Amino acid sequence: MTDQHPVERLRGLASLVGNTPLLAIEFDFRGTRRVLHAKAEYLNLSGSIKDRMAMHILRKAYAAGALQPGALIVEATSGNTGISFASIGRALGHPVTIFMPAWMSTERINLLRSLGAGVVLVSREEGGFLGSIARAESLAQATPGAFLPRQFSNRDNCDAHYEATGPELLGQLSAEGLTPAAFVAGVGTGGTIMGTGRFLREQVPGVRVHPVEPSNSPTMSTGHKVGHHRIQGISDEFIPPIIEFDQLDAILAVDDGDAILMAQKLAASLGVGVGISSGANFLAALQAQEALGGSAVVVTVFADDNKKYLSTDLLREEPVRAGFLSPDVELRALRALRRVCQTCRYPDPAPAPWQSAGSR
Ligand code: PMP
């Protein structure tokens, strides 16, 4: 590793995050030919949509002087966020410690370790997700200079999607002569739905913006944690503070078994090996399209790929239950729409104070 300043290193990574292709997925559903669109977020540097947020938060933190070279980065996460902060944080030369609930997939834990992060697993008895947040806060307080991204309450999380995910997908659709009627996304921190949603609402009058949750554990509709679900990455144990329901349309709910079946189908029929939340997002997008009419342009994200779930129910036989939508989806074809947005690659971080205009 060279002795480049972390801000220089951030710049070097910029083209590995965001500017993802938009997939147009053609399928038959109950006798009609349909198309749904999804951003291929699994193509980001560390394999998930969370790279966008991690990159943006670190860039802003350096610009604000809240993060110094070599400082500890500490975060609580159900997985992908940790993998993003580990990957980008280590690339910038930071030590990284991640607190996470003990029941996340072994692939996630091992990936974090392989990326050089310290991993602390927090059991249900020790407080699970909320316990992880509390422990991350105390470690940050006890460590001088430590940086805590606080993804659940940090507005820069939403801004990453406002500044890039939204403009990218609108640019890609416009290049095809299409205008989105709805955007749907499963809510983990809510960064994706709030940031992309805000941008689309500003640009496309009347666009619907639907958050998605598991019907087996409807935290957003009930206001608290109920039941269990298998859609890792969404619906943790509380409503994230960055969610503003008055900026969102109706919550859509997807059964975790249906999401698993859909993700399996996307992999086996189209070669798009995605994670369980992508299956949920596809089915929620289908629900939105059902409400708006079969030709409505509905967009979502495929947040990560299936490699982190190889030891989970995603690779087991899943029973079909009454009311599932996935059995009626016959996937036909896949087309990747070009990365058309020239301006929405992550902008350069603010110039560091020691840089003269000529050296930039
Ligand atoms: N799907 C997966 C697999 C995720 O890891 C996450 C992030 N936790 C999400 C969806 C939800 O994204 P967001 O945090 O932006 O709501």
Side-chain angles (χ1 to χ4, degrees):
M1 185 64 80
T2 67
D3 55 1
Q4 258 185 342
H5 189 278
V7 171
E8 281 298 319
R9 294 190 195 177
L10 257 178
R11 226 169 251 155
L13 298 177
S15 60
L16 291 171
V17 177
N19 216 4
T20 52
L22 182 67
L23 307 178
I25 296 165
E26 214 176 288
F27 60 103
D28 290 323
F29 182 68
R30 298 178 183 163
T32 57
R33 182 55 57 100
R34 305 287 186 97
V35 178
L36 286 172
H37 291 87
K39 289 283 277 175
E41 293 303 310
Y42 49 88
L43 294 178
N44 284 300
L45 169 66
S46 82
S48 88
I49 194 165
K50 302 308 291 199
D51 284 349
R52 292 176 179 273
M53 178 270 310
M55 188 83 151
H56 193 67
I57 286 183
L58 293 175
R59 186 163 66 79
K60 294 293 281 285
Y62 264 107
L67 175 61
Q68 301 299 327
L72 175 68
I73 297 173
V74 190
E75 185 63 315
T77 157
S78 62
N80 278 326
T81 292
I83 292 166
S84 294
F85 276 115
S87 165
I88 301 172
R90 295 297 298 143
L92 303 187
H94 293 276
V96 178
T97 299
I98 301 298
F99 289 85
M100 69 191 290
W103 57 88
M104 291 297 145
S105 74
T106 47
E107 291 91 339
R108 286 186 186 221
I109 298 162
N110 289 339
L111 268 170
L112 281 168
R113 292 194 172 129
S114 79
L115 288 166
V119 182
V120 185
L121 299 176
V122 181
S123 67
R124 282 192 208 281
E125 299 69 46
E126 292 169 312
F129 211 92
L130 293 174
S132 303
I133 294 175
R135 301 253 323 254
E137 294 274 349
S138 357
L139 177 62
Q141 263 174 22
T143 314
F147 177 68
L148 195 56
R150 291 196 181 87
Q151 57 160 344
F152 285 95
S153 51
N154 192 332
R155 300 271 153 186
D156 291 334
N157 176 358
C158 307
D159 289 348
H161 300 286
Y162 177 81
E163 289 177 21
T165 318
E168 287 173 31
L169 72 81
L170 197 60
Q172 286 165 310
L173 288 173
S174 316
E176 298 279 309
L178 301 173
T179 305
F183 175 72
V184 315
V187 170
T189 61
T192 308
I193 196 74
M194 292 307 302
T196 311
R198 177 157 57 95
F199 177 81
L200 291 178
R201 277 175 186 279
E202 285 174 10
Q203 302 292 323
V204 185
V207 69
R208 307 258 175 103
V209 179
H210 294 287
V212 180
E213 69 180 359
S215 55
N216 327 66
S217 177
T219 305
M220 280 187 292
S221 344
T222 57
H224 55 272
K225 162 113 182 114
V226 237
H228 290 296
H229 72 93
R230 297 171 290 169
I231 312 178
Q232 290 187 28
I234 72 168
S235 195
D236 294 313
E237 296 170 7
F238 56 95
I239 298 177
I242 55 180
I243 284 283
E244 295 172 62
F245 285 111
D246 61 349
Q247 302 298 311
L248 298 171
D249 293 290
I251 300 165
L252 300 177
V254 176
D255 184 281
D256 63 2
D258 210 5
I260 286 172
L261 287 164
M262 194 64 236
Q264 289 174 342
K265 219 171 217 186
L266 284 161
S269 309
L270 289 184
V272 183
V274 286
I276 303 172
S277 81
S278 303
N281 279 350
F282 184 93
L283 293 175
L286 180 55
Q287 288 181 35
Q289 194 176 53
E290 281 290 273
L292 290 163
S295 59
V297 178
V298 181
V299 196
T300 188
V301 294
F302 286 167
D304 67 357
D305 67 23
N306 59 3
K307 296 186 190 64
K308 277 178 235 102
Y309 307 97
L310 300 177
S311 68
T312 73
D313 285 356
L314 186 55
L315 267 283
R316 299 193 188 103
E317 198 172 328
E318 182 65 27
V320 172
R321 291 204 300 278
F324 280 11
L325 296 178
S326 58
D328 293 346
V329 174
E330 290 292 326
L331 295 168
R332 296 288 176 209
L334 171 74
R335 198 161 57 93
L337 307 185
R338 283 188 308 134
R339 311 169 198 224
V340 287
C341 182
Q342 298 307 320
T343 53
C344 49
R345 174 174 309 169
Y346 279 88
D348 270 358
W354 66 91
Q355 287 177 302
S356 67
S359 71
R360 285 166 54 197

